[in-house]
Every structure is written in structure tokens, then in C-alpha cells.
Amino acid sequence: DTAANRIAAGEVVERPASAVKELVENSLDAGATRVRVDYAGGGKVMIRVTDDGHGMEADSLPLAMSRHATSKIDGSDLLDIHTFGFRGEALPSLGAVGRLTITSRAPGQEGAEITVTGGQIGPVRPAALNRGTQVELRDLFYATPARLKFLRTDRSEAQAIADTIRKLAMAEPFVGFTLYDTDGAREILRVDAEQGELFDALGARLGRLMGRDFVDNAIRVDIERDGVRLSGFAALPTYSRGSSVAQHVFVNGRPVRDKLLIGALKAAYMDVLSRDRHPAAVLFIDCDPHLVDVNVHPAKAEVRFRDPGLVRSLMVSGLRHALAGAGH
Ligand code: ADP
Ligand code: MG
């Protein structure tokens, strides 16, 4: 029922940036090597995500638009989720809160397109497309003016979209990203796919996104304990441009904002950094999906670890040790 769908949809889609996040994660899940995001009116008027991923067959388009339909779990083990988000919620939610058009082409097939408006799924029609998928969302929250009213200015919504893309781009150095503001005809961000070994690629990508200065004044972290791996770049205490916005933590590839993890990062630097300064770091925690619940809430970047103490001590003592090893 559409009313219930619309309420559930509001949980997943809080603002244009959350729509962008869901769509780009779908592109990444589809194996895209290049993702382009265009937007107008801070994403309220239009969001368009174009990828070169494996696409969808025409027959599966209506299915992708129905709730809880996902191609990403086979039902044998609900916990065996390697990709992100509430399963099978994003596209139906977006189709409930805006006018959504998906154009897609699977290899060896003709392209096809489907439109969903206010939860009403239209017919599948042939459409021209080279490859991959293009998802266009127009008039976000047009049917729920109350929600629309809560959005910030175009400028701040656009800022939130840019932050989202930056975060996703940090975690995916082998994928190229373009962010384009169609109102100002302005490219906001463009990074090509990085080359080489993971750490080199990551360093190159972070250099573009955080500044070369950060990477040149950071240590490479790569430690593992009891099946939990901590890797990434952590700034040396001498790096002066640390701030709370220069702290990025990812759990199984997903950007999180988690008090436990940020607290652990702070604690790791306690002895080497004065109280009034913030460490800068881009850290990836990877573990068996069974050891962490990243689906606490689709729109909130919280995580729940099976063993929070283990993760905390890995961050605190692991980082301390690594920083000490760097001669500080
Ligand atoms: P989920 O990602 O949890 O499976 P979504 O509602 O986000 O649910 O997407 C539904 C389904 O649509 C996906 O499982 C996938 O099969 C398909 N899909 C969505 N976006 C893309 C895309 N960009 N490329 C290929 N398939 C896609
Ligand atoms: Mg999804």
C-alpha cells in the first residue's frame, strides 16, 4: 500500500544525498568502474546516476522496483550480506518519494526503461543506452511537501551530495567518479580510476581528495587481530591540518559515523597529540559480516559490533603501535 510505502521510504531517503548514496552503492554493487552523478536544484529537482556496471535485463526492471526484491541475497543466509543497505528498499523507496526512471542494458540485450511515480510502476519500454544503468530521480518529495520543507538550501544539499561522493570515492579507488552540477554547468568533482596496488591506489586517491599533504604526512596502517583487519592512512602527530572532518572510518567498505570508532581514534592519539587538536585518518575496518551489523538503520551510519571491545582495542593499541613505529 502506497501510504505505508511512503512512510518506509522516508526512513531510507532523508535528503538528496541519501538518494545519491543508495544509487551510487547500487552502481558499485553492479561492478561499475565509472560512476557519474548529475544533479539540479541541490538534488531536489533532479539526480541522475549513470554507471557502466552489468545492468539489468528488461524483465527484471519491474521486479527491482518492488519492495524487498533484491538480487543480492539468495535467502539461504540473511546474514551473508557483503553489499550494503537495507535489502531491496532503495529503488522502491525512491519511486515512492519522487519520479524515478531507470534505463538499463545488460550485455547482449537491448536497453529498456521503466518509470515509477508516487509508487505507481509504469510499463517497460525499449530505450537506447550503450551499456550499464542510468537512474534518474526527479522532484524528490513532490508528494510530501512537509518533508520538502525540511530540506536545507540547494547549496547545503549540494554540499551533502559532494560529501557523500567524496566518501564513496575514498573507499573505491579503482572506480572513477564524476559529480556535475547542471545548474551551474560545473564539474564539482572528477577522479579517474586509480592504478596499481591497493595501497598505492588508495594513497593516490586520498591525495586527490584530502590533499597530497595528508598522504605524505601519514603512515600506512595494516594490522589484523582475531579476524578484524584495520587498514588505511593515519596522519602523523606533526600533521597540522587534522580536524574532525578529516576523520573517515569505513566498516566493510561502508562509510560510518560511529562514536565508538571516533572515540577510539582520539584515544590512540591521546599521548602524542595535544587535547585541542584532532587526528586525521582514513581507516577501513574489515571483518566477517557476521561480526558486525551495518544495517542498524539504512539512513544512519551507525554500526553494531559483536565485540566492540576487540575493535576498540585494535584501533587504540594498533594505531598507537603503528605511530610509535613511525618514530613518534
Ligand atoms: P538492493 O540494492 O538492496 O538489492 P535496491 O532497491 O537498491 O535493493 O535495488 C534493487 C535491485 O535492482 C538490486 O538488487 C539490483 O539487482 C538492481 N539494481 C539497482 N541498481 C542497479 C544498477 N545500477 N545496476 C544494476 N542493477 C541494479
Ligand atoms: Mg541498493
Side-chain angles (χ1 to χ4, degrees), residues 22 25-26 29 72 84 86-87 90:
E22 293 293 339
E25 281 179 354
N26 280 346
D29 289 347
K72 296 168 193 169
F84 324 124
F86 267 21
R87 303 289 53 166

Coordinates of all heavy atoms in Angstrom, one line a residue, residues 22 25-26 29 72 84 86-87 90, ligand 2:
E22 N 22.4 5.7 -2.0 CA 21.8 4.5 -2.4 C 22.0 4.1 -3.9 O 22.4 3.0 -4.2 CB 20.3 4.5 -2.1 CG 19.9 4.6 -0.7 CD 20.3 3.3 0.1 OE1 20.4 2.2 -0.5 OE2 20.4 3.4 1.4
E25 N 25.8 3.3 -4.5 CA 26.1 2.0 -4.0 C 25.6 0.9 -4.9 O 26.2 -0.1 -5.1 CB 25.5 1.8 -2.5 CG 26.4 2.5 -1.5 CD 25.9 2.5 -0.1 OE1 24.7 1.9 0.1 OE2 26.6 2.9 0.8
N26 N 24.4 1.1 -5.5 CA 23.9 0.1 -6.4 C 24.8 0.0 -7.6 O 25.1 -1.1 -8.1 CB 22.5 0.5 -6.9 CG 21.4 0.1 -5.9 OD1 21.6 -0.6 -5.0 ND2 20.2 0.7 -6.1
D29 N 27.8 -2.0 -6.5 CA 27.4 -3.4 -6.4 C 27.3 -4.0 -7.8 O 27.5 -5.2 -7.9 CB 26.0 -3.5 -5.8 CG 26.0 -3.2 -4.3 OD1 27.2 -3.1 -3.7 OD2 25.0 -3.0 -3.7
K72 N 20.5 -9.6 -4.4 CA 21.8 -9.7 -3.6 C 21.8 -10.6 -2.5 O 22.8 -10.8 -1.8 CB 22.2 -8.3 -3.2 CG 22.5 -7.4 -4.4 CD 22.7 -6.0 -4.1 CE 22.6 -5.1 -5.3 NZ 22.5 -3.7 -5.0
F84 N 25.7 -3.5 0.7 CA 25.2 -2.6 1.8 C 23.7 -2.3 1.8 O 23.0 -2.6 0.8 CB 25.9 -1.3 1.7 CG 27.4 -1.4 1.3 CD1 27.8 -0.7 0.2 CD2 28.2 -2.2 2.0 CE1 29.1 -0.8 -0.2 CE2 29.5 -2.4 1.6 CZ 30.0 -1.6 0.5
F86 N 19.7 -1.6 3.5 CA 18.5 -2.4 3.7 C 18.3 -3.1 2.4 O 18.2 -2.4 1.4 CB 17.4 -1.5 4.1 CG 17.1 -1.4 5.6 CD1 18.2 -1.6 6.5 CD2 15.9 -1.0 6.0 CE1 17.9 -1.5 7.8 CE2 15.7 -0.9 7.4 CZ 16.7 -1.2 8.3
R87 N 18.1 -4.4 2.4 CA 18.0 -5.1 1.1 C 16.7 -4.8 0.4 O 15.6 -4.8 0.9 CB 18.1 -6.6 1.3 CG 19.4 -7.0 2.0 CD 20.6 -6.8 1.1 NE 20.7 -5.5 0.5 CZ 21.8 -5.0 -0.1 NH1 22.8 -5.8 -0.2 NH2 21.8 -3.8 -0.6
A90 N 15.8 0.4 -1.6 CA 16.2 1.8 -2.1 C 15.3 2.2 -3.3 O 14.7 3.2 -3.3 CB 17.6 1.8 -2.4
Ligands
MG2 MG 20.7 -0.8 -3.1

